[in-house]
Amino acid sequence: MDVRPTMKWIIYACLFVIPFIVLYVSYSLFFPFISGKGFAFRILVEIAFSAWVVLALAEPKYRPKFSWTLALYGALVVWMFLADSFAVSPMKAFWSNFERMDGWVTLIHMFAFFLVAGSVLTADTLWRKWWMTFLSASAIVSLYGLFQYLGAFQIHQGGVRLDATLGNAAYLGGYLLFAIAVALWLAVESKGWVRYTLYTLAGFHSLILFFTATRGAILGAIGAVMLGIFLWLFEAGKKGRVGGSIAIAVILLLVGSIFVFRHTSFIEHDPTLSRLASVSLSDGQTRFAIWNMAWHGFEAHPMLGWGQEGFNYIFNTYYEPSMYAQEPWFDRAHNAFLDWLTAGGAPALLLFVGLLISAVVAFYRKTVSQGERIMLTCVVAAYSFQALFIFDNLFSYIPIAAVLALAHSASARPFKKLEHLPAVSRDIVGTVVTPVAIVGAVVVLWFVNVPNLSAGHDLLLALSPQQSYADNLAYFKTAIADGSFAEQEISEQIVNYVAAVGAQTQITPEQKAPLYAYAIEQIKAEEAQRPLDARVYLQGSLVYRIAGDMQSALKQTEAALALSPVKQQILLEQGTIYWQLGNIPKAHEIYQKAYALDHGFDDANIYAAAGEILFGNSAGAKKILLDHYATTTVDNTILVYAYYQVKQYPDMILILEQSNRNTGSIDAGFHLASAYMLVGRTGDARAIIAKTVAAHPEAAGAGQQLLSQIK
């Protein structure tokens, strides 16, 4: 039986479906915009690779060929296997998590995609059709973005920055860089209506890219256009040089105008133009701080790095207090080059950069047309520029891997030994090789995907508000029992869920107890697996504190501070524990320590002021608030608790009055009424209750209960 046609069509189907994964959003999985696409890609690659092995044994023309691009890509995969094996957390380095779907598993799948595409699409001259398929998918993505702009579809991140089916404006911007370049390249090499359609599509993509307001991608696109013009100038005649020079001058004039007129209302009120005009060194302080941490991490482990997904440990160890107003935990350097440097040391960065350079060199071989050479060189440059400000994701990985496979095919030459190996007979291929490949594919598909898909689905069910707490707990246990790579992620969600449940007074202590016990059990398991992760200990502190075990919570913060001594979030958690233990001097000391690290952020000021109130220094508290907020009446619950504890009711009431004016909510009104009752202002309490009930008739019953307390 000749299985070769079947293998070919399996490979074709997988390769030509991959571009459409970008449209897939799996709302039945945790992180629907990320995990669904990631699992779909892995499954398709595993099937295609298995079929390719069978085909390559049967037909020598499909066997891999040598190129420096292949050699460098393979070396990067091997080196990262070594680096991840010695990572701080090897499990996470290899498997990543639902939020990123990265790690070595994705790297090896990407390399397998590179091998299959570079062999089959080249041998069967299908590259143009594959890229046209890629553009078909990108057109649908941009159309989705257009509907978001028109208000027909929701922008998933909120705000005005389009994110289409990728769920992240920065991801969409990076993806569109490839779509624009490929559309222009194929337009140059097409004729008639196809050419004009592709030019139109490139313009449409450019418009959607603009509305993503992704500065790195937009500036990368502008730089790529200028690079393309320069490259064309070197190959064009005198007439072409004049036109190219004019084009460059126009681009520089347009870009310069944005900065010159950046204070005009037109630019200030445009989301994209205002973001572009705000590019400055001061605007990049956050990035510089992260990059500085990354450099310290590299200095600590210059050869093997920290492993993929290891930046979290660098962020803990070399944390800078100026980062407090940003995300609490960074797991990327927000620079793809630094990500490789910290993940796999200097060798990984050199291999990655060498890989990109090898592609450009390959495009300048005689077998590559002028349009292809210029446009694909430009897209590598654009990708490299935007990679300075963002990390990779699946839909920057896939198109750059395809570009690398195309570069490989342009410069590949046969491995002599592979070329001269005879083809395996049809009978052996049909009766031995194919069954073995099928069994191998099934084993890999199951091991790599099934437990993790089950866990992602069960975790989503565990977070459903439509179920009882007992049902949610059962789903959490099932998600852990699935044996996935995301146990840390699941444990963190358990902690977050327990924190939410613990704050709800309508839930009895008996209902909460099993949740607390299971959360503590999972935190202990995570501590055993990741003893150097400050994030785990901070999560543990939160659970113990909610459960009422303050001494255990305190030990957790001490362990976290040993790993990240200047992280204000940990200090504030420890101060709060001492406050709840009644050790006000110690709470005051720790709040002051967190405040001294950086005065610029709200939480540090609020807790420092609360510490002064508790310590009996009301004047000091008001000075802190006045310096930061220009007022001493700041609507914040922490300050209300502090004033209440020291019985400074007039100041407490001022805050509650401010809160009621700001929100007019039921809680704000009734809290203020309770405060009035506390100081004997029963008439004011009655008036606030009546006003709140008038604004919120559904609160009539609760209002009547408060009135009965006054009577």
Side-chain angles (χ1 to χ4, degrees):
M1 181 178 65
D2 189 359
V3 299
R4 291 176 300 173
T6 303
M7 295 300 111
K8 284 184 186 180
W9 283 108
I10 289 173
I11 295 168
Y12 294 163
C14 292
L15 291 180
F16 281 85
V17 167
I18 283 173
F20 290 101
I21 294 173
V22 70
L23 304 173
Y24 179 47
V25 180
S26 177
Y27 289 105
S28 63
L29 295 175
F30 193 58
F31 280 105
F33 290 95
I34 304 296
S35 57
K37 292 179 177 66
F39 286 119
F41 175 74
R42 292 177 183 183
I43 290 168
L44 288 170
V45 168
E46 288 155 11
I47 295 171
F49 185 80
S50 300
W52 173 71
V53 170
V54 175
L55 189 61
L57 289 171
E59 285 197 50
K61 75 172 185 176
Y62 293 108
R63 293 172 184 173
K65 295 179 173 60
F66 174 81
S67 73
W68 284 109
T69 304
L70 172 65
L72 289 166
Y73 207 159
L76 179 62
V77 172
V78 171
W79 182 262
M80 289 313 304
F81 180 87
L82 182 65
D84 290 342
S85 298
F86 290 94
V88 182
S89 177
M91 175 71 175
K92 195 170 183 181
F94 278 102
W95 288 97
S96 186
N97 57 17
F98 291 132
E99 183 180 6
R100 300 300 183 200
M101 290 295 290
D102 205 333
W104 192 83
V105 169
T106 290
L107 180 60
I108 190 63
H109 279 77
M110 207 60 63
F111 183 63
F113 166 70
F114 164 88
L115 279 176
V116 176
S119 300
V120 176
L121 298 182
T122 302
D124 293 344
T125 60
L126 292 173
W127 270 116
R128 179 180 173 85
K129 291 182 179 179
W130 190 88
W131 282 114
M132 290 294 281
T133 304
F134 178 85
L135 290 178
S136 300
S138 69
I140 300 173
V141 170
S142 285
L143 189 62
Y144 191 104
L146 177 63
F147 281 120
Q148 285 184 319
Y149 179 75
L150 296 174
F153 294 161
Q154 179 185 5
I155 297 175
H156 306 101
Q157 284 184 307
V160 296
R161 298 180 61 195
L162 306 185
D163 54 14
T165 56
L166 284 94
N168 186 307
Y171 292 177
L172 177 59
Y175 170 74
L176 289 174
L177 285 178
F178 291 95
I180 293 167
V182 171
L184 290 173
W185 157 41
L186 295 182
V188 169
E189 299 193 344
S190 300
K191 294 180 180 180
W193 66 270
V194 175
R195 169 177 287 187
Y196 298 112
T197 300
L198 290 170
Y199 277 135
T200 302
L201 181 59
F204 182 37
H205 284 329
S206 300
L207 182 67
I208 300 301
L209 172 61
F210 179 81
F211 289 121
T212 67
T214 305
R215 289 176 291 189
I218 293 172
L219 293 175
I222 294 170
V225 170
M226 295 185 66
L227 174 62
I229 294 172
F230 275 118
L231 294 174
W232 183 67
L233 286 176
F234 280 111
E235 301 186 26
K238 183 177 180 181
K239 184 177 179 180
R241 292 192 182 100
V242 173
S245 300
I246 292 173
I248 290 174
V250 170
I251 293 171
L252 291 174
L253 180 63
L254 290 173
V255 174
S257 298
I258 294 174
F259 291 95
V260 171
F261 299 105
R262 62 184 179 276
H263 297 303
T264 61
S265 59
F266 174 75
I267 290 179
E268 287 181 344
H269 290 92
D270 185 279
T272 303
L273 293 178
S274 61
R275 280 177 59 81
L276 289 174
S278 69
V279 173
S280 64
L281 290 177
S282 59
D283 190 52
Q285 290 304 311
T286 298
R287 285 286 195 275
F288 297 150
I290 300 172
W291 296 349
N292 186 52
M293 292 183 225
W295 184 255
H296 287 311
F298 162 67
E299 289 178 323
H301 297 282
M303 284 303 295
L304 286 173
W306 299 66
Q308 291 173 269
E309 299 295 348
F311 190 79
N312 176 58
Y313 297 98
I314 296 174
F315 187 72
N316 285 338
T317 305
Y318 303 103
Y319 178 79
E320 294 185 15
S322 63
M323 293 292 296
Y324 184 74
Q326 306 300 319
E327 298 176 33
W329 306 99
F330 276 79
D331 62 352
R332 294 291 188 278
H334 285 258
N335 178 310
F337 297 97
L338 288 177
D339 280 330
W340 285 113
L341 184 68
T342 55
L349 177 62
L350 292 173
L351 288 168
F352 178 64
V353 173
L355 184 57
L356 299 179
I357 293 173
S358 75
V360 174
V361 172
F363 291 139
Y364 274 82
R365 296 177 65 85
K366 293 181 180 179
T367 56
V368 179
S369 67
Q370 183 188 53
E372 180 179 352
R373 174 168 62 247
I374 291 176
M375 292 313 304
L376 294 183
T377 297
C378 288
V379 79
V380 172
Y383 164 80
S384 301
F385 181 84
Q386 64 95 35
L388 293 171
F389 306 100
I390 191 65
F391 46 87
D392 275 310
N393 67 89
L394 185 63
F395 272 90
S396 62
Y397 279 139
I398 290 175
I400 195 61
V403 169
L404 292 171
L406 199 57
H408 159 70
S409 67
S411 61
R413 60 182 186 271
F415 288 103
K416 290 184 179 180
K417 290 185 178 180
L418 283 180
E419 186 181 27
H420 292 108
L421 282 176
V424 179
S425 69
R426 293 182 183 180
D427 290 340
I428 294 177
V429 168
T431 58
V432 179
V433 176
T434 300
V436 171
I438 291 172
V439 171
V442 170
V443 170
V444 172
L445 282 165
W446 182 276
F447 176 72
V448 173
N449 303 289
V450 174
N452 304 308
L453 281 166
S454 297
H457 180 64
D458 290 332
L459 176 56
L460 200 65
L461 291 174
L463 297 172
S464 172
Q466 309 301 324
Q467 301 164 155
S468 69
Y469 306 109
D471 288 339
N472 287 337
L473 176 59
Y475 276 119
F476 275 126
K477 290 181 177 180
T478 302
I480 289 291
D482 287 327
S484 73
F485 58 66
E487 288 189 9
Q488 182 179 8
E489 217 165 13
I490 297 169
S491 296
E492 289 182 359
Q493 292 305 315
I494 292 171
V495 171
N496 294 339
Y497 180 77
V498 165
V501 170
Q504 297 181 32
T505 55
Q506 70 270 25
I507 305 173
T508 66
E510 290 74 22
Q511 290 174 311
K512 294 177 182 179
L515 289 168
Y516 293 159
Y518 187 65
I520 290 171
E521 177 186 331
Q522 287 309 121
I523 285 296
K524 288 180 178 179
E526 287 303 312
E527 288 172 16
Q529 291 184 27
R530 298 172 180 84
L532 299 178
D533 193 342
R535 183 171 179 170
V536 172
Y537 293 107
L538 186 59
Q539 291 270 310
S541 172
L542 179 61
V543 173
Y544 280 116
R545 180 161 61 84
I546 293 170
D549 186 351
M550 295 300 171
Q551 292 300 328
S552 294
L554 195 59
K555 290 178 181 178
Q556 296 290 104
T557 60
E558 290 169 353
L561 285 171
L563 297 167
S564 189
V566 294
K567 190 168 178 61
Q568 295 102 316
Q569 186 182 7
I570 303 172
L571 288 168
L572 296 181
E573 169 71 11
Q574 189 176 72
T576 300
I577 294 169
Y578 277 115
W579 180 359
Q580 293 184 335
L581 284 170
N583 191 340
I584 300 304
K586 191 65 176 178
H588 172 261
E589 175 191 333
I590 293 171
Y591 286 155
Q592 282 298 312
K593 182 178 179 180
Y595 177 64
L597 290 170
D598 199 301
H599 294 183
F601 308 120
D602 290 349
D603 283 359
N605 283 270
I606 290 294
Y607 279 97
E612 295 297 341
I613 293 167
L614 295 168
F615 203 59
N617 183 12
S618 181
K622 291 180 178 179
K623 183 180 185 308
I624 291 172
L625 296 174
L626 196 61
D627 289 345
H628 187 69
Y629 293 100
T631 179
T632 59
T633 306
V634 180
D635 182 4
N636 188 280
T637 306
I638 299 299
L639 298 176
V640 171
Y641 289 151
Y643 279 129
Y644 175 81
Q645 184 162 332
V646 298
K647 299 183 179 181
Q648 288 183 222
Y649 301 136
D651 287 312
M652 179 187 74
I653 288 173
L654 288 175
I655 294 176
L656 292 173
E657 288 174 339
Q658 182 67 37
S659 177
N660 191 48
R661 285 192 296 269
N662 290 343
T663 67
S665 67
I666 297 172
D667 285 344
F670 287 172
H671 288 160
L672 178 58
S674 298
Y676 283 151
M677 290 162 56
L678 183 66
V679 296
R681 295 169 58 179
T682 56
D684 291 331
R686 291 175 186 276
I688 286 296
I689 293 170
K691 185 177 179 180
T692 302
V693 170
H696 303 278
E698 68 275 16
Q704 191 60 44
Q705 289 181 352
L706 274 178
L707 287 172
S708 66
Q709 291 178 29
I710 295 175
K711 293 177 183 178

